[in-house]
Amino acid sequence: MNSFATTSFPVPTTFLATAVAALLILLLIKRRFLFHSTKKLNYPPIAGTIFHLLFNLHRLVEYQTALSRKYKTFRILTPFGNYVYKADPANVEYILKLNFLNYGKLQGDFNYDMVRDFLGDGIFAVDGDKRRQQRKIAIFEFSTKVLRDYSSRAFKNSASELTGIVSKLASCNQMMKYTSNL
């Protein structure tokens, strides 16, 4: 009778461990199907982390430009979330012009309060109605006529200044040295 008691003791422990393991596996499977969609989500590739940005801080613009050439859309992972960068002009136009409301710019009051001191309430810092109002104002300032008038005035002023310099040098019979920085 003693040997029966000692041989039956490990069986319930093994059975209990197996039952707990099976229950955990079932819970994980259930969670997978309840909280995750069956279709595969299409995320942009991960191009780096905050540590990559910090490592390349001395040449940050060049580093991000290289990433933008390699990937037209990519993510940088940080402890506070993913930052998605888009370098394809068609994607940028789609977000800013055609479907802006689906892409929140500032993600709430926290970021708005951080950038408000630097950017104010301009088009680069606000969302919603304030952005719509800023955009209506900017459309008039960046119309073809306004830009053409401004560039014409700038060209006339520069041409007038250059004409004065050339004419002064020509009257003194001096040579003009011309260098191009291009």
Side-chain angles (χ1 to χ4, degrees):
M1 190 152 186
N2 267 347
S3 69
F4 179 72
T6 56
T7 57
S8 65
F9 184 72
V11 173
T13 305
T14 306
F15 177 74
L16 184 63
T18 306
V20 168
L23 184 62
L24 285 174
I25 290 172
L26 286 173
L27 286 174
L28 287 173
I29 291 172
K30 182 179 176 184
R31 183 173 183 232
R32 167 94 174 139
F33 286 112
L34 281 179
F35 296 115
H36 296 292
S37 154
T38 55
K39 66 179 182 176
K40 185 176 179 181
L41 298 176
N42 190 11
Y43 290 111
I46 298 171
T49 64
I50 188 89
F51 300 112
H52 292 95
L53 295 179
L54 292 173
F55 182 72
N56 291 292
L57 193 60
H58 64 284
R59 55 176 220 95
L60 188 60
V61 174
E62 292 85 2
Y63 175 69
Q64 288 187 323
T65 302
L67 288 177
S68 297
R69 286 187 178 133
K70 186 175 181 181
Y71 308 104
K72 293 300 180 190
T73 301
F74 60 94
R75 288 184 296 161
I76 299 289
L77 302 179
T78 69
F80 310 109
N82 296 334
Y83 289 93
V84 177
Y85 294 82
K86 296 200 174 272
D88 185 15
N91 287 343
V92 173
E93 179 183 8
Y94 174 77
I95 292 169
L96 293 178
K97 189 175 180 183
L98 303 174
N99 206 7
F100 182 77
L101 294 177
N102 289 341
Y103 298 92
K105 188 181 343 180
L106 295 175
Q107 302 168 354
D109 293 335
F110 175 72
N111 287 336
Y112 172 70
D113 289 339
M114 285 177 35
V115 299
R116 189 172 77 199
D117 289 338
F118 179 63
L119 297 174
D121 279 337
I123 195 167
F124 297 109
V126 294
D127 283 337
D129 291 335
K130 285 185 178 181
R131 182 185 181 277
R132 203 169 296 112
Q133 179 186 9
Q134 292 290 337
R135 189 155 176 215
K136 285 180 182 178
I137 293 168
I139 285 173
F140 294 115
E141 290 299 319
F142 291 101
S143 69
T144 305
K145 182 184 180 320
V146 170
L147 291 174
R148 184 177 50 237
D149 291 346
Y150 173 76
S151 61
S152 295
R153 271 194 316 273
F155 177 76
K156 286 177 185 174
N157 290 341
S158 297
S160 174
E161 184 179 335
L162 181 62
T163 304
I165 293 170
V166 170
S167 135
K168 185 177 177 183
L169 290 172
S171 67
C172 296
N173 204 14
Q174 291 183 340
M175 289 179 45
M176 182 174 85
K177 184 177 181 182
Y178 173 78
T179 60
S180 175
N181 292 334
L182 298 176

